[in-house]
Every structure is written in C-alpha cells, then in structure tokens.
Amino acid sequence: MSGKLEGKVAFITGAARGQGRAHAVKLAQEGADIIANDLAGGIPLVPYDSSSMADLEETVRLVEGLGRRIIFRQGDTRDLEGMKALVDEGVAEFGRLDIVVANAGICIPATWEETTPEMFSTTMDINVVGVWNTVKASASHLIAAGGGSIILISSYAGKKMQPFMIHYTASKHAVTGMTRGFAAELGKHNIRVNSIHPGAVNTPMGSGAMIEAITRTNASNPALAAMGTPFLPTYAAEAQDIANAVAFLASDDARLITAEHLSIDAGAQYF
Ligand SMILES: NC(=O)c1ccc[n+]([C@@H]2O[C@H](COP(=O)([O-])OP(=O)(O)OC[C@H]3O[C@@H](n4cnc5c(N)ncnc54)[C@H](O)[C@@H]3O)[C@@H](O)[C@H]2O)c1
C-alpha cells in the first residue's frame, strides 16, 4: 500500500520516545525513510524520567518493522556541527531530504521565584537554539530537493502563556516567531514552514515527579491553574493525534499552507 509520503525522507529530532517516536512511525507508515536523533540520556533539571538507548532502539525497530529505512544517532540538538554531520550522513545514504520535524524539547515547571538562571538558559538552549540548529543543519538539503516541509513543535504555551513556566512560554513563543521568519525567507525555495501547538499530550514527559511539580506550582496560585482547560471532554491528546497533524503538514495535502500555527489542544488556548 502506498502512502502520502512515498519516496520522501524525513529528519526528526527527539525521536526516541513520546511524540518524536510517533512522528517517526507515522511518517514511515506513509512511506518516508527516517533520519533521527535523540539525547537518549539524562537531562539535568527536568522532573520527569529521561529517555534511554533502549527507547531509541525501539523506535528503530518500529520503523524497520514497517519496511522503511532509518538512521538514528544519539546526539544533542544544541550541537550544530553534530546535527549537520547526521543530516549530511542521512542525505548521503538516502539521497535526499524533504521533511524536517524539530520536535526535541524540555519542560521544567517552576514559579517565577523558583526559576533559576540555569533553568531559563537550558530551556532556551534546547527549545530555541536546538530548533534553530535543526533548521540550520537541514534547510540547504530541502533547497537542493526543490522544496519541502519544515514543522516546528511549539506548544499551547507558544500561543498563550502557560502558568508557572515563564521560561517554557518564552521558548515556545520564540518557536512561533521562528516559524514565520523561516517561512518568509525559505518560501522562495518552495519550502513550507509551520508550527504545531499541542495542549497536554500523554507522553513520558508526564512521568517521574512531573505531575507533582505541576501540582505544587499550581497550588501557589490556584486561580491561574484553571487556565488551558480544554472545551472537549478529552483532556490530553495521544502522541498519535500530533503525528497525524505532522503527516498532514508534511504532505501535498498542505501544499499551500505555510507560516501557520496549528493547535491540537481541544480548544484549551481560548479558556
Ligand atoms: N507532552 C506534552 O504535554 C507537550 C505539550 C506541548 C508541547 N510539547 C512539546 O512536544 C515535544 C515533544 O515532547 P514529548 O511530550 O514527546 O516529550 P518527551 O520528553 O517524552 O520526549 C522528548 C524527547 O526529546 C529528547 N530531547 C530533549 N532534549 C534534547 C536535545 N537537546 N537533543 C536531542 N534530543 C533531546 C528527549 O531525550 C526525549 O526523548 C517537545 O518539544 C515538547 O515541548 C509537549
């Protein structure tokens, strides 16, 4: 059975687990080969469990199980040279690059008083510089292919502020702005650039002490805690819901959609 992305190649960051894995599997189901990275290791400061090499290997197994090819390396989106080396290796192997999904990101709940300079700068380094590096390392390959689709994973917090996450909100709003800027400059190369803004998603980002950290910060100002309540009965999306939107934006079904900011939040941004 042929999919919407037959013959295409996609580069995905943070693909060991959670949404990144769902994107790799969905794009592979639609026919794409995958180039991917993940830290697959500890991230200081975050309250949830870190991903592992076993997670990374599971993504490889799932993609290969679909009959698609995958090059997956442990690496850090903050390392521009490392990212370039990976993308160049992938393009040398698979012959082209058509789709980029800048998914890797972190989230550290903290009130404004608790937030340390290290929390702020680490969040900006991964969520903003890492996304910029992802596009910087790959855009020339999309130009060489005659066009493509770049999808930047922002958040509900990239449209509306998320309480007790000033650093995260700042980083995800930066991703929204970066989407518009790259869309403007890369448009002449037939490259579309869009962002996706999930509300809550069921992933390992909610593991470990994450819920405890959110509950604790919410208790500091309960009036703000109700913000972002979805209109629909389903509170949290599954990673698959986000992957479906990624596959749509990556495909020709979205051929005239660029500089757009697509929410998958059950209406939460308007509450
Ligand atoms: N889960 C949610 O509720 C939610 C909501 C809105 C937006 N998001 C965003 O969606 C994206 C994916 O989140 P998720 O829920 O799948 O989280 P996750 O923690 O389950 O997965 C993120 C993956 O990114 C990797 N990663 C983190 N920093 C990296 C780096 N510097 N280099 C390479 N890999 C790195 C992690 O190792 C992990 O495997 C993130 O950008 C996140 O901010 C998540």
Side-chain angles (χ1 to χ4, degrees), residues 230-236 266:
F231 293 157
L232 297 175
T234 302
Y235 191 88

Side-chain angles (χ1 to χ4, degrees), residues 3-270:
K4 281 180 185 182
L5 305 174
E6 212 61 47
K8 308 269 191 200
V9 178
F11 173 45
I12 305 168
T13 64
R17 70 177 192 187
Q19 293 175 57
R21 176 189 286 166
H23 302 333
V25 170
K26 176 66 182 172
L27 298 188
Q29 275 168 348
E30 294 293 345
D33 290 321
I34 308 294
I35 304 164
N37 95 328
D38 200 293
L39 263 182
I43 307 172
L45 305 173
V46 304
Y48 48 88
D49 303 333
S50 295
S51 65
S52 65
M53 288 302 286
D55 291 325
L56 190 154
E57 283 156 16
E58 176 63 4
T59 300
V60 169
R61 193 186 67 78
L62 290 169
V63 169
E64 289 179 346
L66 292 163
R68 307 312 321 179
R69 295 175 294 172
I70 178 166
I71 292 175
F72 201 155
R73 302 276 180 266
Q74 190 175 22
D76 192 328
T77 56
R78 289 168 288 186
D79 168 18
L80 178 58
E81 291 312 312
M83 297 277 282
K84 277 184 183 159
L86 168 58
V87 181
D88 290 352
E89 179 192 355
V91 171
E93 181 76 20
F94 298 152
R96 57 187 296 122
L97 184 67
D98 307 279
I99 300 157
V100 175
V101 187
N103 165 77
I106 60 162
C107 182
I108 309 166
T111 66
W112 73 270
E113 294 151 296
E114 293 166 351
T115 305
T116 63
E118 196 189 359
M119 284 180 192
F120 192 89
S121 60
T122 304
T123 301
M124 297 304 272
D125 280 351
I126 294 180
N127 292 6
V128 183
V129 179
V131 168
W132 184 80
N133 284 346
T134 303
V135 180
K136 186 84 175 159
S138 54
S140 61
H141 293 295
L142 298 185
I143 294 170
S149 174
I150 298 176
I151 298 150
L152 309 184
I153 305 301
S154 176
S155 167
Y156 155 93
K159 284 191 174 178
K160 182 177 183 174
M161 73 85 188
Q162 190 150 354
F164 321 117
M165 291 191 200
I166 291 169
H167 43 320
Y168 187 72
T169 297
S171 73
K172 293 300 191 180
H173 272 71
V175 172
T176 309
M178 221 187 313
T179 304
R180 293 178 195 156
F182 275 126
E185 290 198 42
L186 295 176
K188 70 175 185 181
H189 301 291
N190 200 29
I191 296 171
R192 298 180 294 105
V193 187
N194 295 288
S195 53
I196 286 182
H197 301 255
V201 190
N202 279 324
T203 70
M205 194 176 259
S207 66
M210 184 63 159
I211 303 303
E212 202 182 308
I214 291 172
T215 307
R216 184 182 49 71
T217 51
N218 279 351
S220 73
N221 189 343
L224 294 182
M227 281 185 63
T229 302
F231 293 157
L232 297 175
T234 302
Y235 191 88
E238 300 304 323
Q240 185 63 49
D241 296 309
I242 317 305
N244 290 342
V246 166
F248 165 68
L249 288 174
S251 77
D252 288 342
D253 289 346
R255 73 186 186 94
L256 294 183
I257 300 178
T258 195
E260 191 52 85
H261 313 294
L262 179 60
S263 285
I264 304 157
D265 67 355
Q269 68 184 297
Y270 296 110

